[in-house]
């Protein structure tokens, strides 16, 4: 039964994803992509569970830890880069004032 | 309350925040807050997971979290805006590899614990769980090596031209069949001795497959590839979510997967090409054949390249009232975005109306030009999409094409024999005068001659875009000073 519930969640999330993204202006395509790229780092959740379980094998710990590192780079790098990019999108009034506004 | 229930409640909150964040990312005014909201969701999900009862030792988790965060912060700080496409590709590759490792580690646990104990922790049946592990490793592996190859192409460590070899499709096809057979074998009995062998076959073959899948794709098609790989990294996370029966992984991974699919479709549509065409045609490598094909249209290709000097460019621009800039990948290469903005400001103070026409696939990733121009402080009101600028094009005095080629090639509209026939373009040729900035007299990325350059109203401004524009700006400054 629980499997069916997971598939149910999957199906609903898929439709939601389509609805959410269908009408995004092209100016936001890059931030949208790098933002959703950061979200794909959610695999850090699986990595934490893998790294934290003790099954008596060092291999699982190594794989899990490497996965945590990689997923964290994906998450942190992704969000910060997206924020940096979005910080540069300015309206005319705002951009006239300050010339340099880099992180 | 049992901790499991509390953790799942936090996961629900995180899922809602992911959805809201993604929705807000789609609008200019709310995008930054949306990204922050999504980051909060990630933090909540990560912290909640630390309390999962499967997690018994924290040392290596903390090491991993700290090391990953430090690397992530450093990367995000030092990357230049012009390097954004390769940065996104690299991060995406890391995400894919992380999912692959999760799948691998879970398989190791199953071998250590046996099915009964493992499935007591996570929902599933042996066949279902093994098949989602197979999918996690397969998609994660393809995402990883595919993204790394794309990264190397974008960073110009590898040539951007498509690499094709004889029998490539055959080799790829054989690999796919091998992966599927091994995957099915693995799914039916993961713990049999052959199951372990099948796992290794899947692991290695998926890594090779990711590589060979991006190999024949040219640099001009990179926006499609990057969107697709982004989608795949989400699906890999989603598959990992099915392995450990984790709903926040499934929701977030699935959102990324579908949003990536939509972006991919938008990019394909902007090039009037099918996804299969992008993935399998090795576009541009077929240039010799294409050249003979367009030789038939040689009659209308007549005309000559007419160079123009920076001084004359200044005179043309000085008299213009309506100016449109059409940037392409060449602007990114020349790092010319700042001087372009400077020129645009001078034109405005000279009384002209300035617009920037952005083709959806200009550059190497979706929205690439918008990011570069935003970095140079061009207000986003001046950025006009293709469909909005084309009706106005005939009223433009000057169109300045900066390092764009295929996206302004009128052959796409006229020449049936052209490989890019049918691709929507920015109708630069309709402007009264067209000035094309180009490094030298070569064909564009796709290896095609551009008919636009041969039109009577087109002038070629050769040289490094940054340098030539700087001399035009200098002329304007001299005018203002006198």
């Amino acid at each position: 039964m629980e499997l069916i519930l997971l598939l149910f969640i999957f199906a609903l999330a898929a439709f939601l994803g389509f609805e959410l993204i269908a009408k995004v202006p092209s100016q936001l395509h890059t931030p949208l992509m790098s933002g959703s790229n950061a979200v794909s780092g959610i695999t850090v959740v699986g990595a934490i569970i893998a790294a934290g379980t003790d099954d008596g094998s060092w291999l699982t710990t190594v794989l899990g830890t490497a996965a945590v590192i990689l997923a964290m780079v994906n998450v942190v790098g992704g969000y910060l880069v997206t924020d940096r990019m979005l910080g540069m999108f300015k309206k005319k009034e705002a951009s006239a004032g300050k010339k340099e506004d880099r992180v | 309350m049992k901790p499991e229930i509390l953790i799942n409640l936090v996961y629900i909150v995180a899922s809602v925040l992911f959805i809201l964040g993604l929705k807000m990312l789609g609008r200019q005014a709310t995008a930054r807050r949306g990204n922050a909201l999504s980051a909060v969701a990630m933090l909540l999900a990560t912290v909640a997971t630390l309390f999962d009862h499967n997690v018994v030792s924290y040392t290596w988790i903390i090491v991993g979290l700290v090391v990953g965060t430090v690397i992530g912060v450093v990367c995000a700080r030092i990357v230049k805006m012009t390097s954004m496409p390769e940065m996104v590709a690299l991060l995406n590759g890391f995400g894919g590899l992380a999912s692959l490792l999760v799948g691998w580690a879970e398989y190791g646990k199953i071998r250590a614990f046996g099915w009964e104990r493992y499935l007591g922790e996570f929902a599933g049946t042996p066949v279902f769980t093994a098949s989602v592990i197979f999918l996690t490793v397969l998609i994660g592996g393809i995402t990883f090596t595919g993204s790394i190859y794309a990264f190397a192409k974008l960073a110009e460590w590898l040539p951007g031209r498509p690499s094709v070899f004889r029998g490539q499709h055959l080799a790829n096809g054989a690999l796919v069949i091998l992966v599927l057979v091994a995957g099915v074998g693995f799914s039916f009995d993961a713990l049999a001795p052959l199951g372990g062998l099948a796992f290794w076959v899947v692991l290695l073959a998926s890594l090779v497959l990711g590589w060979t899948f991006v190999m024949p794709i040219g640099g001009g098609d990179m926006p499609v590839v990057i969107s697709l790989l982004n989608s795949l990294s989400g699906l890999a996370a989603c598959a990992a979510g099915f392995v450990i029966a984790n709903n926040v992984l499934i929701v977030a991974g699935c959102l990324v997967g579908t949003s990536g699919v939509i972006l991919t479709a938008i990019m394909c549509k902007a090039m009037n090409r099918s996804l299969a065409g992008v993935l399998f045609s090795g576009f541009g490598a077929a240039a010799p054949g294409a050249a003979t094909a367009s030789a038939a249209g040689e009659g209308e290709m007549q005309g000559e390249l007419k160079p123009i000097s920076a001084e004359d460019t200044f005179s043309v621009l000085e008299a213009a009232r309506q100016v449109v800039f059409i940037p392409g990948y060449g602007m990114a290469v020349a790092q010319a975005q700042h001087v372009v903005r400077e020129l645009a400001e001078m034109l405005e103070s000279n009384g002209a109306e300035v617009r920037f026409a952005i083709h959806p696939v200009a550059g190497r990733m979706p929205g690439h030009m918008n990011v570069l121009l935003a970095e140079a402080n061009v207000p986003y009101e001046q950025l006009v999409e293709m469909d909005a600028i084309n009706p106005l094009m005939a009223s433009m005095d000057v169109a300045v094409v900066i390092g764009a080629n295929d996206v302004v090639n009128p052959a796409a509209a006229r020449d049936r024999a052209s490989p890019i026939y049918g691709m929507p373009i920015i109708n630069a040729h309709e402007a009264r005068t067209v000035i094309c900035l180009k490094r030298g007299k070569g064909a564009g990325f796709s290896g095609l001659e551009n008919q636009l350059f041969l039109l009577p109203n087109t002038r070629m401004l050769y040289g490094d875009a940054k340098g030539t524009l700087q001399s035009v700006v200098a002329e304007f400054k001299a005018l203002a000073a006198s």
Side-chain angles (χ1 to χ4, degrees):
Chain A
M1 186 57 207
E2 204 181 332
L3 272 188
I4 300 297
L5 272 180
L6 292 178
L7 288 169
F8 196 67
I9 292 173
F10 175 79
L12 290 183
F15 273 96
L16 199 57
F18 278 118
E19 286 299 317
L20 282 178
I21 307 303
K23 285 190 191 112
V24 174
S26 63
Q27 293 172 14
L28 286 173
H29 280 165
T30 299
L32 178 74
M33 206 178 56
S34 76
S36 66
N37 178 28
V39 176
S40 72
I42 186 69
T43 197
V44 72
V45 166
I48 287 175
I49 291 179
T53 317
D54 186 13
D55 68 350
S57 145
W58 57 267
L59 182 66
T60 311
T61 313
V62 170
L63 294 175
T65 309
V68 173
I69 295 176
L70 291 164
M72 252 348 241
V73 174
N74 188 188
V75 167
V76 175
Y79 281 122
L80 288 181
V81 147
T82 311
D83 189 63
R84 221 181 111 185
M85 249 186 293
L86 288 170
M88 296 181 322
F89 284 105
K90 287 189 212 78
K91 292 202 167 213
K92 197 152 194 178
E93 312 84 77
S95 70
K98 36 184 178 175
K99 290 239 155 148
E100 270 306 273
D101 182 26
R102 261 185 256 173
V103 184
Chain B
M1 204 173 350
K2 276 167 65 181
E4 295 308 296
I5 295 182
L6 201 60
I7 291 174
N8 272 297
L9 285 177
V10 177
Y11 281 169
I12 293 177
V13 175
S15 304
V16 171
L17 291 181
F18 276 131
I19 292 164
L20 279 178
L22 209 54
K23 185 175 164 62
M24 286 164 75
L25 257 181
R27 279 189 47 218
Q28 194 69 258
T30 55
R32 208 168 179 187
R33 266 180 294 148
N35 187 50
L37 213 55
S38 170
V40 170
M42 187 64 76
L43 185 68
L44 283 177
T46 311
V47 172
T49 309
L50 292 175
F51 295 97
D52 190 290
H53 72 276
N54 285 300
V55 177
V56 290
S57 66
Y58 287 92
T59 329
W60 289 107
I61 294 179
I62 292 167
V63 169
L65 290 177
V66 171
V67 171
T69 306
V70 170
I71 300 177
V73 169
V74 171
C75 287
R77 283 282 156 96
I78 60 171
V79 65
K80 281 201 237 118
M81 279 299 140
T82 38
S83 310
M84 209 42 92
E86 52 261 43
M87 181 73 188
V88 172
L90 192 64
L91 290 175
N92 198 45
F94 286 174
L97 182 58
S99 292
L100 178 148
L101 295 179
V102 170
W104 188 354
E106 293 305 316
Y107 178 50
K109 275 196 231 167
I110 293 168
R111 292 185 78 101
F113 291 156
W115 279 118
E116 205 164 319
R117 183 168 161 206
Y118 187 85
L119 294 179
E121 293 296 338
F122 308 111
T125 66
V127 172
F128 180 81
T129 301
S131 47
V132 282
I133 287 181
F134 159 59
L135 287 179
T136 309
V137 172
L138 174 65
I139 305 174
I142 292 177
T143 309
F144 173 56
T145 47
S147 300
I148 296 300
Y149 197 99
F151 164 79
K153 268 191 179 179
L154 290 165
E156 297 186 341
W157 294 3
L158 287 171
R161 299 208 147 270
S163 352
V164 274
F165 55 84
R166 278 172 78 91
Q168 191 164 29
H169 293 318
L170 217 63
N172 276 351
L175 259 178
V176 170
I177 291 171
L178 180 71
V179 164
L180 289 181
V181 169
V184 169
F186 174 76
S187 303
F188 275 104
D189 198 350
L191 291 185
L194 270 178
L197 178 69
F199 179 82
W200 282 103
V201 172
V202 170
L203 181 69
L204 295 177
S206 64
L207 292 175
V208 176
L209 209 54
W211 194 263
T212 53
F213 139 75
V214 180
M215 226 165 99
I217 302 175
D221 286 341
M222 275 300 154
V224 178
V225 178
I226 300 236
S227 318
L228 189 65
L229 288 169
N230 190 32
S231 170
L232 286 179
S233 73
L235 291 177
C238 191
F242 276 106
V243 178
I244 57 170
N246 184 302
N247 49 33
V248 75
L249 254 177
I250 293 177
V251 171
C254 186
L255 287 176
V256 178
T258 46
S259 65
V261 166
I262 292 192
L263 264 185
T264 311
I266 294 174
M267 294 301 120
C268 284
K269 203 175 150 209
M271 299 200 283
N272 189 40
R273 304 182 57 197
S274 69
L275 184 57
V278 172
L279 295 183
F280 303 119
S281 71
F283 190 72
T292 39
S294 60
E298 196 71 30
E300 41 185 332
M301 279 288 285
Q302 275 167 5
E304 51 180 336
L305 297 165
K306 296 165 289 294
I308 187 172
S309 64
E311 294 77 45
D312 292 343
T313 306
F314 160 72
S315 320
V316 172
L317 284 174
E318 204 255 323
R321 296 280 73 97
Q322 298 279 344
V323 178
V324 58
F325 288 96
I326 306 168
Y329 184 56
M331 183 182 80
V333 173
Q335 304 264 0
Q337 65 272 27
H338 294 278
V339 61
V340 170
R341 192 255 313 154
E342 206 178 335
L343 179 59
E345 278 177 0
M346 303 214 143
L347 287 168
E348 279 192 312
S349 52
N350 189 37
E353 193 175 344
V354 177
R355 294 181 182 82
F356 291 84
I358 314 286
H359 193 279
V361 294
R364 288 294 179 266
M365 72 176 165
H368 192 180
M369 293 301 124
N370 297 288
V371 174
L372 287 183
L373 292 171
E375 188 209 8
N377 276 323
V378 173
Y380 62 73
E381 292 92 334
Q382 281 188 355
L383 307 181
V384 190
E385 293 186 24
M386 176 174 63
D387 295 336
I389 195 73
N390 275 345
L392 304 175
M393 204 45 100
S395 63
M396 291 292 143
D397 296 318
V398 184
V400 184
V401 179
I402 309 168
N405 194 344
D406 293 339
V407 298
V408 289
N409 191 345
R414 295 177 191 158
D415 183 2
R416 270 174 198 285
S418 170
I420 59 167
Y421 179 71
M423 169 173 158
I425 55 158
I426 294 177
N427 296 329
H429 55 276
E430 288 178 5
R432 236 154 274 151
T433 308
V434 184
I435 296 174
C436 295
L437 277 72
K438 210 162 171 300
R439 229 182 319 191
K441 306 180 183 183
F445 205 94
S446 61
L448 295 174
E449 264 314 324
N450 195 334
Q451 298 182 2
L452 175 70
F453 300 159
L454 305 172
L455 293 177
N457 57 340
T458 302
R459 296 290 176 276
M460 307 299 295
L461 181 52
Y462 288 116
D464 174 64
K466 194 173 175 182
T468 48
L469 286 177
Q470 266 161 353
S471 22
V472 178
V473 167
E475 296 274 343
F476 267 101
K477 279 187 181 150
L479 175 79
S482 65

